[in-house]
Amino acid sequence: MAEQDFSLNLDDLRPRPAEKKRFSEYFMPRRHSFIIFHPDRCTGCGACEMICSTRNTEKVAPVSASVKVVRDEKEGKNFSILCQHCRKPLCLPACPTRAIEKGDDGIVRIDKLFCTECGLCTMACPAAAPIKDPGSQEIHKCDLCEGDPLCVKQCPENALTFTRGKAVRWIKGLRWTSQLMSFLLLVMVFIGTFCYFRTGNVNFACPTGTLQNIASSGTIVLVGVSSALALLILTVLAGRLFCGWVCPFGFVLDVVDKITPKKIGWPSFLKSRMTKYGVLAGAVGGSYALGFQVFCTVCPIGTLCRAYGVQSFFRSAELAIVPALASLEIGERRSWCRYFCPVGAVLGLTALLRMIKIVIGAKRCKKFSCIQCAEVCPVGIIDADKLREGLSPKIPMTECIMCMRCIDRCPYDAAKIRFRWQKATPGEVRI
Amino acid sequence: MKNRKDKIAEAKRASGADSCVECGRCVAACPMAEMYENFSIEMSPRGIIKKTLVGDPVVEDRNIWYCTECNAGTDTCPQGVSCRDLIRKLREAAVDENILGNAKTCKCCGRAFVAIPVEDFVFARLKDEPPNVFGVLDICPPCRREIYLLRNA
């Protein structure tokens, strides 16, 4: 007879609630309330601690508060450490008695009935936000006063604000509109416009195509170069705005990405962002050797732009490159743009002269508790590991396609566009 | 400098261990039963109290380092024995005698802040998280808050 296990575990007594996703969440993420702390306004007076402690005990005793004001007298810096109600709280799995639960409203609560005040949640929290009361030995943690925080009302300098985040993510709508409009314009209205477009004295040309043209023909046509400069100047002024907002193939990729939300990932040897510069060099060199624009015949942007309307069989066969490259989307988002696109490579090289940058962590970033920017980034250049460590990631603007999804998504307004010469993040403090 | 005997006597007095009736309520409430596979009389609060009272060598015993210093046993004891205080005093005695192998010291301030078996448990529970999280968790909570201040303010 097989030996039976009669022991009861916590899972049998109090099973964890299954993670449910509401139907509406597939279209619109839930907006939870949260407290934003502004370090530059805080004077370190400790009013938040005092009012918070009256909720935990009968008296005013800052040590038994759920918020801790840390002061650096030398630098004159103050910071009040609050529970940030992480999206994936580390304290939750660490609790041995399973007293911590994340509610439907996004508030992480400690159930006093089950809490044994062991302090393991403080051990697991990267900001050490749950605080052990030295008197009563209880653990105090912010529960946002169940949606009406006292500390926010009491702060004399308005360093704490209570918000629900953005209601409308307008950049998203603007970008999709821009992408759709440019797709229709470039592909259907002005056929073949991306590669070369001319009305009167106005010329626009694809910079990669122009490079190949120069290589294949061996002659530099000033009109061609100057028309190619238009896109490069846009890139210098505003980063690779073209890739995120205009590129018709990028639009196709974004649509395909919406259809295939599950990603299988690529092996690491494929994932070199330098590959696209290699493709560019190969395209230019090949054009020089063979005497025609090698890459332009298979360029997905070009084939899309040239394909519409009544075409020969050969032209239509060219179009097969579009679904072939769009299928790369099943591995990673914008795989083609990340690793292979030579148009992006030219723009990336131009972006070395950029005037603007995107910064994340302008003091207000909640780092490990959120990490939504790294999730939404289509080219995956936001370092989630840095954010988890509590550092501001540096964004390589040569890779950034300026889709501004991070800026749109950040509930704390920590992701921003800044000029290149502006100092926007506090100095990196290593342990 | 007090010797070990005095320290243990002090621990017994501070925690009221002499009045233990070995009812076992602290063992029933102890979260260590959920935390460790090898939970036994060797590391249970009742076992530690008994060892202390009988006079076994507890200070160099690894079993005193499994406790999380929670309030569960202290709250539930009918005799008012505080197993938390007893463990704390025994650990203090061990640290005083430089038996440091079981205590984790902070990378920044060098203070012993958590017992290694307890931290192992936390890390085992967080094993699905990316490994660089643990670099932050190596630091004691007050230092963590200081670093948080320096990085963000």
Side-chain angles (χ1 to χ4, degrees):
Chain A
M1 200 175 127
E3 195 179 335
Q4 264 184 303
D5 187 12
F6 288 108
S7 63
L8 279 174
N9 289 324
L10 263 185
D11 286 317
D12 310 315
L13 298 171
R14 276 191 298 138
R16 276 195 194 283
E19 276 185 30
K20 270 185 285 182
K21 209 173 176 184
R22 286 190 192 174
F23 183 67
S24 61
E25 280 178 70
Y26 288 98
F27 308 102
M28 240 177 129
R30 301 266 294 285
R31 288 159 62 211
H32 298 310
S33 306
F34 49 83
I35 295 177
I36 291 186
F37 174 68
H38 307 261
D40 35 0
R41 291 185 200 162
C42 181
T43 57
C45 66
C48 46
E49 278 183 340
M50 286 182 218
I51 193 71
C52 186
S53 62
T54 59
R55 207 169 163 268
N56 293 331
T57 60
E58 269 90 52
K59 50 189 187 289
V60 178
V63 283
S64 50
S66 316
V67 48
K68 178 99 182 159
V69 179
V70 191
R71 302 172 179 94
D72 188 343
E73 306 288 358
K74 200 175 154 197
E75 304 271 322
K77 288 174 176 172
N78 309 289
F79 206 93
S80 66
I81 286 175
L82 288 150
C83 174
Q84 297 171 0
H85 305 278
C86 304
R87 288 201 301 150
K88 284 169 192 148
L90 293 182
C91 52
L92 204 143
C95 183
T97 52
R98 200 169 294 171
I100 305 178
E101 264 162 22
K102 190 172 170 71
D104 225 15
D105 45 1
I107 301 177
V108 180
R109 292 185 186 84
I110 296 182
D111 194 337
K112 287 280 175 215
L113 190 62
F114 300 114
C115 179
T116 58
E117 289 112 26
C118 61
L120 289 196
C121 42
T122 316
M123 245 45 267
C125 178
I131 294 159
K132 195 161 200 168
D133 189 333
S136 65
Q137 299 289 335
E138 278 176 45
I139 298 282
H140 297 308
K141 196 188 76 61
C142 172
D143 58 353
L144 292 180
C145 298
E146 301 298 333
D148 190 20
L150 289 168
C151 51
V152 173
K153 287 183 203 156
Q154 289 294 320
C155 183
E157 303 287 334
N158 286 334
L160 295 163
T161 46
F162 190 61
T163 55
R164 284 190 67 197
K166 290 171 208 151
V168 182
R169 298 201 168 128
W170 57 272
I171 299 179
K172 188 180 176 183
L174 213 61
R175 190 189 58 247
W176 279 105
T177 318
S178 161
Q179 280 184 303
L180 182 65
M181 290 303 290
S182 51
F183 180 82
L184 293 178
L185 274 177
L186 288 172
V187 174
M188 294 185 179
V189 181
F190 307 112
I191 295 159
T193 25
F194 175 64
C195 306
Y196 189 77
F197 174 61
R198 178 176 193 163
T199 45
N201 289 328
V202 186
N203 288 287
F204 293 111
C206 165
T208 313
T210 311
L211 273 181
Q212 291 177 59
N213 213 341
I214 292 168
S216 61
S217 60
T219 49
I220 295 175
V221 185
L222 273 183
V223 178
V225 174
S226 61
S227 58
L229 275 177
L231 192 52
L232 302 186
I233 288 168
L234 174 76
T235 310
V236 169
L237 291 177
R240 285 168 61 182
L241 203 64
F242 169 80
C243 299
W245 289 63
V246 181
C247 179
F249 187 60
F251 175 71
V252 172
L253 290 183
D254 280 351
V255 172
V256 174
D257 167 55
K258 285 276 170 206
I259 304 166
T260 56
K262 281 206 174 131
K263 304 294 177 193
I264 54 170
W266 297 122
S268 55
F269 67 88
L270 274 177
K271 297 203 286 188
S272 166
R273 291 181 193 270
M274 286 294 132
T275 313
K276 58 175 173 286
Y277 300 109
V279 173
L280 175 67
V284 175
S287 309
Y288 178 71
L290 299 173
F292 69 100
Q293 289 105 311
V294 177
F295 180 73
C296 286
T297 52
V298 290
C299 173
I301 308 172
T303 41
L304 258 183
C305 288
R306 281 173 269 146
Y308 190 71
V310 184
Q311 303 282 356
S312 65
F313 171 75
F314 196 67
R315 273 282 166 82
S316 309
E318 258 183 8
L319 203 57
I321 195 82
V322 174
L325 295 180
S327 67
L328 286 174
E329 253 341 63
I330 56 166
E332 272 174 9
R333 298 175 73 191
R334 292 254 186 164
S335 307
W336 170 254
C337 309
R338 283 188 198 195
Y339 307 123
F340 305 113
C341 181
V343 182
V346 172
L347 298 182
L349 289 174
T350 321
L352 291 171
L353 305 168
R354 69 200 173 269
M355 288 172 74
I356 57 166
K357 63 181 175 184
I358 287 186
V359 289
I360 287 174
K363 295 191 178 182
R364 302 170 73 180
C365 175
K366 305 271 183 189
K367 310 279 161 57
F368 57 87
S369 70
C370 172
I371 323 185
Q372 293 186 54
C373 48
E375 271 174 31
V376 294
C377 183
V379 281
I381 49 171
I382 299 175
D383 195 350
D385 292 347
K386 270 271 174 69
L387 282 169
R388 276 196 202 94
E389 272 180 64
L391 298 169
S392 307
K394 216 174 192 141
I395 298 177
M397 290 304 290
T398 52
E399 302 294 335
C400 176
I401 61 169
M402 291 300 284
C403 63
M404 304 186 202
R405 279 183 176 89
C406 46
I407 299 169
D408 208 25
R409 180 57 77 92
C410 182
Y412 313 111
D413 283 338
K416 283 173 182 170
I417 295 180
R418 285 280 176 269
F419 282 113
R420 188 184 188 172
W421 46 84
Q422 272 177 309
K423 191 177 177 296
T425 51
E428 204 172 85
V429 180
R430 281 266 164 205
I431 302 159
Chain B
M1 187 75 190
K2 284 187 275 188
N3 60 12
R4 179 189 285 194
K5 211 173 171 184
D6 289 344
K7 278 179 195 156
I8 293 179
E10 153 89 40
K12 273 195 250 177
R13 196 181 47 74
S15 60
D18 286 326
S19 50
C20 173
V21 291
E22 293 189 34
C23 62
R25 283 200 196 182
C26 48
V27 185
C30 187
M32 286 201 287
E34 180 65 27
M35 288 164 65
Y36 305 116
E37 289 280 310
N38 56 345
F39 181 71
S40 65
I41 186 76
E42 292 293 313
M43 67 166 87
S44 76
R46 177 161 56 174
I48 299 285
I49 291 171
K50 195 172 181 181
K51 272 190 226 171
T52 318
L53 292 179
V54 170
D56 283 352
V58 275
V59 174
E60 54 271 77
D61 196 344
R62 188 178 160 82
N63 289 314
I64 63 168
W65 294 95
Y66 285 90
C67 173
T68 61
E69 301 189 11
C70 75
N71 288 350
T74 310
D75 286 348
T76 193
C77 182
Q79 293 293 99
V81 181
S82 173
C83 54
R84 178 195 70 214
D85 288 355
L86 178 72
I87 296 272
R88 250 183 223 175
K89 294 278 179 193
L90 291 177
R91 284 181 183 180
E92 274 170 26
V95 171
D96 282 351
E97 291 184 23
N98 276 331
I99 308 170
L100 277 170
N102 297 308
K104 178 116 182 172
T105 48
C106 170
K107 260 202 271 178
C108 291
C109 61
R111 214 160 49 88
F113 71 103
V114 69
I116 281 176
V118 177
E119 190 176 51
D120 285 347
F121 165 77
V122 175
F123 282 4
R125 279 288 178 95
L126 299 180
K127 64 178 182 299
D128 297 333
E129 301 297 325
N132 57 342
V133 168
F134 301 122
V136 182
L137 303 189
D138 277 345
I139 302 161
C140 74
C143 286
R144 249 183 254 169
R145 293 188 195 119
E146 288 293 325
I147 288 167
Y148 203 74
L149 162 81
L150 291 175
R151 279 179 178 171
N152 290 289

